[in-house]
Each structure stands twice: as structure tokens, then as C-alpha cells.
Amino acid sequence: MKQRMQRSGWGAWICATSALLFASGPVGAQATVKIGVIAEFSGPFADYGSQILAGMKTYLQLNGDVFGGKKIELVVKDTTGAAPDIAKRLAQESVTRDNVDILAGFGLTPNAMAVAPVATEAKKPMVIMNAATSIITTRSPYIVRVSHTLPQDTQPMAQWAWKNGIKRVFTLVSDYGPGQDAEAAFIKAFKAAGGEIVDSVRTPLANPDFAPFIQRVKDAKPEAVFVFLPPGSQTIAFIKGYEERGLKEVGIKIIATGDLTDDGVLQAMGDGTLGIVTSFHYSAAHDSPENKTFLKAYTETNGTRLRPNFMACAGYDGMAAIAEALKKTQGSTDPDKLLSAFKGMKLMSPRGPIMIDPETRDIVQTVYIRRVEKLNGILYNVEFDKFPEVHDPGK
Ligand code: PHB
């Protein structure tokens, strides 16, 4: 695998050392398939891109980098954050200047949404490795999603909460696509089950101050607060505020999608997370041979700075889907041939069985209910219940 990294705006190509590690023959000796990896590699969401790329590299480490007779080359570009204009420009550069065959990555919804028309215009398959607002896949016929959608992860949480005696819930979500989707899906499913929504608030995506919102939750005295926040500094700040304002002491539980207790951030969030129940499609504690292989190879490939999370898993699966599609097309990068190879594809992921719905090009997967516990002194999301073959309920 060859890999090039371009910092946004500077046009300076930096050959990553991993290119040397992965290169297995004279460069140019073999036909290549270029994948333009566009994601967040700096700024507050820098771990999103790092996790996605680390997951992709893990797949290549385990499976080699030649599929259908073509060698994989990654051309990596940094959106620097939630920056739709930059993401769009980088995608245009990728297709016109770098001649990439496939676009991939996309941690954040605004970046994926901005690139969708570029994929359509250039007829390039676009593999979404995180961005989880339901509508994204409808924005281009060339989009395939291997990650998750917020309604898909949320609906099981609402149903589980009701069954387990929670009757009155306050919702708190980040005020952009995935948060709005999570709020709507939770309210719909929880009310359908018979539950009551006490109140709902949305927090800004940029620099939110959670204190007033957390106080509002406390004052409303719900049995639980349902939360969606993008993982990182925001989820850490939320848990800190929840602890400081004594919501646990007055009996207000947290329920959430697993974005809140992201494996990559969980340890930094500390013991305040113990006992939190979430619904999600991937846990580093998932007990399967595929996950054991993934975890070991991830650490060997990328070092120990990051613990693999759901974005790493989707990067791995996205790379697997591209590899399988190339095998099927015998190395052809014809976009329509690749798309038909993706449609209906089934893979055994580190998270369990997954499928690309042939109609919607969105992922179908098991959603697990998990509780934060300590295993050998380290915080993990331990799965204890599951909902198999969940589609995005919005479609
Ligand atoms: C998104 O922007 O779509 C997004 C970001 C982080 C998540 C989930 C979705 O954990």
C-alpha cells in the first residue's frame, strides 16, 4: 500500500512512514486503485480520521494490499474538523488532480453531505466510515455506508429502556444531523412503547457549555436522560457536569447511544461512566474470534495511542468491502460495477455479521445493549443483550 497525506490548504505531500512499511515492490510496477481518504485528522475531532485510517490499515496489514490484481494506494486528506467547504474542495482535488477511484472516510455528517454531490458528478463510489445521519445515503447513488445510523442505534435503546422500567425521559442531543435524528428516533420509539418525554434540549456542535443544559435536566426530574453527543471533549465534559451537578445522587440515570461511551474516550472519562447503559453496534469488548484478531492487529499496526473504537471498526469493514468488491469486479473500478458488488454484500465484521442493504446502500447489523464495567481494571462496554439485523428505521 502506498499512502500520501496532504494537509489541507498547503499542497505539501508528506509521505507517511507507513508507506514504506506497506510497500511490497517497486512503486508503479503494478496497477493501482486509489482511495481518497477524506476525514478529520486535526482539530477537536482529529481522532475520527485517525481511527478510520488505523482501521483501514489494520485490514491491509492482515489481508495484504492487492485485490482483483490491483494494489491499494491511499491518498489521505485532512478536513481539519467539521468543515464542509474544505471537505468538498478536497474531494474535488482528489477526483480531478489525484484521479482517485473511490472516496472514503467521513467522520462527520457535514463533511459527508458536502462531498455527496462530488461523488455523483464524478461517478465515484463513496464509502462512509462513520457519518451517521440517516439521510446521507440518499444524497448520492454512489454512497455506501458501512458504519451506522443514529436512528438504527437509538430505537433499540428506547425499547430497552421502556422494558426495563424507565418511563419518563429527558433528551439531550447535539444540534446537528445525527443529534436531531437521535432525538426524533428516541421520542418516536419511546412514546410508541408508552413512555413520556419530559423535555428536550439541543446543544451547539461548536464549543457547547453543558452546565445550563445539565441543570435543566436536573430541575425536570426525569428518571433518565437520553444523550447523543459526538465523542471527544464534549462527552468528557458532559460526564463531568453530570457528576458535578449531582444528577446521579438524585436518581437520574444516563441512557445513550454508544457514541457517549466511545471506546476511544472511555478510559479518559473515568469511573463516572460505570453502569451507564448504551446501545451500539461495536464494542472493543465484543467477544468473537474476528474481534480478537482485529484488536491484536490494530495494536500491532498502529501502536497503542488509540484503543480501537467503532470508527476504526468501520474503517476496517469499509476497506474489507472495497477489497471484496474489487475481487468481484476483477480489479475493475467501473463505478456501476463496484456499486453492484457492494449492494447486498455480507461480511463478518469484528462487530458481528453486517450487510449492505441492496435497496438503500445502508448497513444492516446487530445493535447491542451494553453496560460500562471494569474488566481487569479497564473500563469497557460489556454487551448483555442484542437486537439482530437492525435496518435504519428511517428507510
Ligand atoms: C456524525 O457527524 O454523523 C457523527 C459524529 C460522531 C458520531 C456519530 C455521528 O459518534
Side-chain angles (χ1 to χ4, degrees):
M1 180 195 70
K2 285 201 293 165
Q3 181 197 306
R4 304 185 286 179
M5 169 72 130
Q6 187 189 28
R7 288 269 161 216
S8 154
W10 291 96
W13 294 98
I14 302 163
C15 287
T17 48
S18 56
L20 300 173
L21 291 177
F22 281 102
S24 61
V27 171
Q30 193 163 24
T32 58
V33 170
K34 283 191 185 179
I35 305 176
V37 183
I38 299 175
E40 305 76 15
F41 290 94
S42 59
F45 302 105
D47 281 353
Y48 292 22
S50 302
Q51 289 276 14
I52 287 171
L53 184 59
M56 295 177 78
K57 286 184 182 177
T58 302
Y59 184 85
L60 296 171
Q61 175 72 31
L62 280 172
N63 297 280
D65 60 0
V66 178
F67 306 102
K70 296 273 181 75
K71 192 173 179 67
I72 300 294
E73 180 178 346
L74 304 182
V75 182
V76 182
K77 293 181 197 274
D78 176 14
T79 68
T80 70
D85 293 344
I86 295 176
K88 185 169 187 179
R89 178 170 55 72
L90 295 177
Q92 281 161 340
E93 266 176 34
S94 301
V95 297
T96 56
R97 203 176 70 190
D98 306 321
N99 294 316
V100 303
D101 303 293
I102 297 171
L103 295 162
F106 311 103
L108 289 163
T109 286
N111 296 336
M113 294 287 270
V115 172
V118 180
T120 305
E121 174 120 340
K123 293 193 168 43
K124 299 292 177 194
M126 175 174 169
V127 181
I128 306 278
M129 295 173 169
N130 183 58
T133 302
S134 180
I135 203 172
I136 290 172
T137 42
T138 68
R139 290 301 167 99
S140 170
Y142 291 101
I143 290 180
V144 170
R145 179 155 42 195
V146 295
S147 51
H148 61 136
T149 81
L150 260 301
Q152 177 181 53
D153 276 328
T154 298
Q155 188 179 327
M157 186 74 251
Q159 292 168 347
W160 184 90
W162 170 259
K163 272 206 203 115
N164 286 275
I166 295 171
K167 306 281 184 257
R168 299 177 68 250
V169 172
F170 195 116
T171 68
L172 181 149
V173 300
S174 186
D175 192 9
Y176 78 119
Q180 291 158 11
D181 268 10
E183 181 193 86
F186 189 89
I187 292 174
K188 188 168 176 212
F190 194 60
K191 278 189 174 168
E196 180 194 344
I197 300 297
V198 177
D199 205 350
S200 297
V201 290
R202 296 178 179 181
T203 59
L205 177 60
N207 309 315
D209 169 11
F210 289 111
F213 297 111
I214 292 174
Q215 190 58 45
R216 268 182 68 184
V217 175
K218 189 176 183 186
D219 294 344
K221 300 189 175 68
E223 289 166 9
V225 55
F226 168 79
V227 182
F228 166 78
L229 293 171
S233 54
Q234 299 203 14
T235 47
I236 294 172
F238 175 82
I239 293 294
K240 196 159 170 266
Y242 172 83
E243 282 185 291
E244 280 171 4
R245 288 189 179 247
L247 273 70
K248 200 174 196 166
E249 284 70 46
V250 298
I252 302 172
K253 295 187 181 73
I254 295 176
I255 51 175
T257 56
D259 309 85
L260 183 70
T261 56
D262 168 15
D263 282 305
V265 187
L266 189 55
Q267 203 54 25
M269 293 165 86
D271 288 356
T273 56
L274 278 167
I276 295 179
V277 174
T278 57
S279 53
F280 220 35
H281 52 288
Y282 178 71
S283 166
H286 181 67
D287 189 10
S288 73
E290 291 81 11
N291 193 39
K292 283 199 180 75
T293 304
F294 170 64
L295 293 175
K296 186 165 174 281
Y298 182 97
T299 305
E300 286 167 6
T301 311
N302 306 294
T304 52
R305 185 184 80 77
L306 293 170
R307 170 159 124 188
N309 71 353
F310 59 107
M311 300 192 199
C313 182
Y316 179 92
D317 290 331
M319 197 55 247
I322 292 169
E324 289 302 316
L326 284 170
K327 284 190 213 165
K328 227 171 168 177
T329 65
Q330 297 177 325
S332 168
T333 52
D334 176 87
D336 297 312
K337 284 189 185 153
L338 284 175
L339 257 292
S340 53
F342 285 130
K343 289 179 186 174
M345 185 183 283
K346 289 184 178 165
L347 295 170
M348 187 44 109
S349 158
R351 61 186 117 164
I354 59 172
M355 185 188 82
I356 306 297
D357 185 320
E359 304 296 319
T360 62
R361 292 163 278 103
D362 222 333
I363 189 156
V364 182
Q365 60 190 332
T366 306
V367 176
Y368 305 86
I369 307 293
R370 316 94 49 84
R371 186 179 289 108
V372 178
E373 290 173 20
K374 272 194 176 164
L375 302 178
N376 296 324
I378 299 171
L379 294 165
Y380 278 100
N381 293 289
V382 178
E383 296 165 352
F384 64 91
D385 202 352
K386 63 181 177 185
F387 292 67
E389 288 182 39
V390 182
H391 291 245
D392 178 33
K395 298 198 182 84

